[in-house]
Amino acid sequence: MRPLAPSAARALAAVVGPEHLLTDPAVTAGHAVDWTGRFRGATPAVVRPGSIGEVAAIVAVAREEGLALVPQGGNTGLVGGSVPLAGEVVVSTARLAGVTAVDPDAGLLTAGAGTTIAAVHAAARAAGWAYGVDWAARDSATVGGSIATNGGGLHVVRHGPTRAQVLGVQAVWGSGAPLDDLGRLEKDATGYDLSGLLCGSEGTLGLVTAARLRLVPHLPERALAALAFASMADAVVAVGALRRGLPGLEAAEAYRAAEADLVAGHLGVAPALAPPPPVTVLVEAAGHDDPVDELAAAVAGLDGVVDAVVATDGPRRAALWRHRESLTEAIATLGPHHKLDVSLPAPALAAFAEEVPARVAEVAPAARTWLFGHLGDGNLHVNVSGVDPDDHAVDDAVLALVLDRGGSISAEHGVGTAKRAWLARQRGSDAVAAMAAVKAALDPDGVMNPHVLL
Ligand code: FAD
Ligand code: MLT
Ligand code: ZN
C-alpha cells in the first residue's frame, strides 16, 4: 500500500481538520477488515467529513490526486464492499450522524448518513411512528450503508427493503456534483429517480450524506410463534399460506436443526423448540389490537406444523428472537467463513436447501454448511465455515446452483467484492454495460469504490 502523498495529506487535512484525518495504522486497521474477518485490506488514511461540503471537497481532492475512496458506515457489510482492499482512502460517515428532522404528520424522517438504524427506530418511536427496516446489526449499521446495500432484514415481507423506505437522498456523486433530493414529495413524477439509483449502488456512484425516509405505523401489539416443520418443503408451503392469510404478518424466518443447536450452544440456553425439529420458522404478527388470536387461527389452518410455541409478552418474544438474531454471531465464532446471501423462486427453494450442503461438500469435504434466512422473502443465507477465505470453489458451487435454479446471487447484502465476478452472469452483459455507463457519467474518474460491484 502506498502512503498518502504529502500534497494529498495536506489537502485532506485542510478539508476536515487534522484531527479527522486518521493515518496511524493502529487506528486505521479496524477500518480495513470486514465484520466477518474474511476481507482484510489496508488504507493510508481514514477521513471523517462533517458536512456535505467537506464530502464534495474530499471527492475533489481524490480526483486531483488520483485517490480512490471507499465510503464506510458501520462496516457491518457482509460482501467485502466497505473495506479498502486495494489501498483506497476510507471515507467514514461517523460525523454525518443524527436525526435532523421528523415530520409526524407526513410520517417522514430525515437523518445523516452515519445515523444508526437503531437511532432511526428510536426517533421514529418518539414521534409515534416506526421504521420498517430492521436487523440484528441495528446498533452499528447506518442509514447510508443500508441505502448503499439496499438492506433487507426481518420485515421485508411486510414493508419491503430499504429502497422502499427512501423518499429522497442527499449525496455527492463521484464527479463532485451534489444531489439534493431531501425535499422531494411522496408524489413526484419529475424525471429519473436519482435517489433510487443510489439504492444498491454500494458506494460506487457517490457518497450518501443524508436521507429522507418513510415511516410506517407503530403497531404496539405483537405475537410470535416458533413453528416446527418436518421439512423445508412443508415450511415453504406454510409461509406462502401465511403471506396470503395472515394480514398482520411481520416476519417469517427459518433455520434448521443444526443452526438451532449451534445458536443454543452459543447462547447457553435450550433451543426454542426442543429437540430442534428439522426446520423452525419464527412467525411474528403485529397490529393495533392483540394479534394472538389471528396468529393462532392462521397457524391452526396450516398443514405440516408438528409443534409450536407462542410468545406474547415482550421478554418471551425477545428470548425467541435471540435464537434467530444471534445466528450470524454464532457462526462467526467458528472463524472466518463464506457468506452467500441468495434468493430463490418459491417452487425451487426447498430443493435448493436440500441440495446445497451436498454441493458444498463436493468441493470442500471438510467444510460445514449453515442455512437460515428470511423465508417470507425466499431469501436463504448459505454460510460455509471451515474453508480458506480466498478459496472461491465454494462460492462458485453455491452461486452456480442458484443461477441454475433461477435465483439471485444477492438478495440483500449486495455484490461487493465477494460476488463481483458473478454480476454479469446474473444480470447479463447489456445490464452491466448500462450500469458501467451510469457509473462513467456520475463518477468519470472512477474514484468511488472502484473495486466493488462492476
Ligand atoms: P458498511 O458496511 O460500512 O458499507 C456497506 C457498503 O455500503 C459498502 O459498499 C460501502 O462502501 C457502502 N456505503 C456505506 N456508507 C455509504 C454512504 N454513506 N454512501 C455510499 N455508500 C456507502 N443486511 C441485511 O440486508 N439484512 C440483514 O438481516 C442483515 N443482518 C445483519 C446482521 C449482522 C449481525 C451483521 C453484522 C450484518 C447484517 N447485515 C444485514 C449486513 C449489513 O448490516 C448491511 O449490509 C448494512 O446495510 C451495512 O450498513 P453499514 O452502515 O454497516 O455499511
Ligand atoms: C441475517 O439475516 O441475519 C443477516 O442477513 C446476516 C447474515 O446473513 O448472517
Ligand atoms: Zn438476512
Side-chain angles (χ1 to χ4, degrees), residues 222-227 242 245-249 283-286 290-303 305 308-312:
R222 277 164 195 270
L224 178 63
L227 309 180
L242 290 170
L246 179 58
L249 181 66
V283 177
E284 186 166 67
D290 187 352
V292 71
D293 291 342
E294 178 189 297
L295 176 61
V299 169
L302 295 177
D303 290 329
V305 179
V309 296
V310 178
T312 48

Side-chain angles (χ1 to χ4, degrees), residues 78 253 324 328 339 372 374 381 383 412-413:
L78 298 172
E253 299 287 315
R324 165 61 183 88
T328 309
K339 296 189 87 71
F372 64 97
H374 314 284
H381 296 310
N383 287 247
E412 59 172 11
H413 294 168

